[in-house]
Amino acid sequence: MEIRVICERPNEAETLKALSTVFDLGPVRRHPARERNRVRLYTTAERTDGAAERPVRRSTAVRVPVEPGPEEAYANAPGIVSEIAWVGDRTASRAAGEPVGREFWLRKAATLDRIALHDVDNYPPDVAAKAVDVAERAAALLAEFDHRHYTTRGALWPLVQAAGVSYRPYVRQEYLAWKRAGS
């Protein structure tokens, strides 16, 4: 079944936790509500008859099925070294305490995602794990920024504090949308 909930923004995590005691929830999609202090949450759900009867989930990471894939998202992207330089220049040139904008978070997350993809393809899992972890954290920061500022460009909105969710597919979606919009 599909569930839609409208709740106060500070109560999102508590609301999802309460729903998860009764339902097995799918990925959560977040959209702004008419009132700025409220949010609309959409998810698919299956009824459970009790927590003891729930199937054990073997994976701790939930992958959000989002297109595009990395090949499409990063086609014709600037080289990784030049992107690292761009991110470094923006970091070094801003005044102390001055906030960075969305383009910074997006390009940083996309660069770190590309590095992680390279490491996963070329190194053993224990070596690539650090790059993957750094890419996951950068992707979550972009999703958090978009969540707070309503700056999502793609079809999928950033998810709400869902433990174990990879935001890297979200980064790819947003990078491609940004690139198509002419940056």
Side-chain angles (χ1 to χ4, degrees):
M1 74 178 84
E2 178 82 9
I3 295 178
R4 178 181 78 161
V5 175
I6 300 174
C7 65
E8 302 292 322
R9 291 165 61 93
N11 299 332
E12 292 174 31
E14 183 180 319
T15 301
L16 291 173
K17 184 177 178 182
L19 282 172
S20 69
T21 63
V22 180
F23 299 101
D24 282 324
L25 301 178
V28 178
R29 298 174 312 279
R30 181 185 185 285
H31 297 276
R34 289 185 179 143
E35 303 87 16
R36 294 216 26 103
N37 63 333
R38 298 181 74 151
V39 65
R40 291 181 294 143
L41 306 174
Y42 295 85
T43 185
T44 55
E46 290 185 31
R47 176 108 172 117
T48 60
D49 292 329
E53 297 174 10
R54 280 191 171 173
V56 176
R57 292 189 178 147
R58 302 213 183 272
S59 174
T60 59
V62 177
R63 296 288 173 187
V64 179
V66 178
E67 293 298 328
E71 299 81 14
E72 182 183 358
Y74 302 132
N76 302 317
I80 290 175
V81 173
S82 66
E83 286 296 271
I84 291 171
W86 185 92
V87 169
D89 287 346
R90 294 308 175 275
T91 302
S93 66
R94 70 182 181 95
E98 179 184 341
V100 293
R102 182 177 195 269
E103 182 179 5
F104 173 84
W105 294 115
L106 176 63
R107 289 177 75 172
K108 179 179 179 178
T111 301
L112 293 170
D113 182 41
R114 291 169 63 198
I115 291 169
L117 289 165
H118 173 271
D119 285 8
V120 165
D121 287 346
N122 293 287
Y123 301 107
D126 58 324
V127 175
K130 179 69 175 175
V132 170
D133 183 53
V134 170
E136 292 286 357
R137 285 186 277 145
L141 288 172
L142 172 66
E144 181 181 326
F145 183 92
D146 283 349
H147 177 90
R148 280 185 283 133
H149 296 93
Y150 299 104
T151 49
T152 298
R153 291 184 177 183
L156 181 71
W157 282 71
L159 304 178
V160 181
Q161 301 173 355
V165 171
S166 174
Y167 290 98
R168 289 173 61 202
Y170 175 78
V171 170
R172 296 169 197 149
Q173 166 195 273
E174 293 302 301
Y175 189 83
L176 183 59
W178 173 76
K179 192 169 64 171
R180 285 180 175 162
S183 306

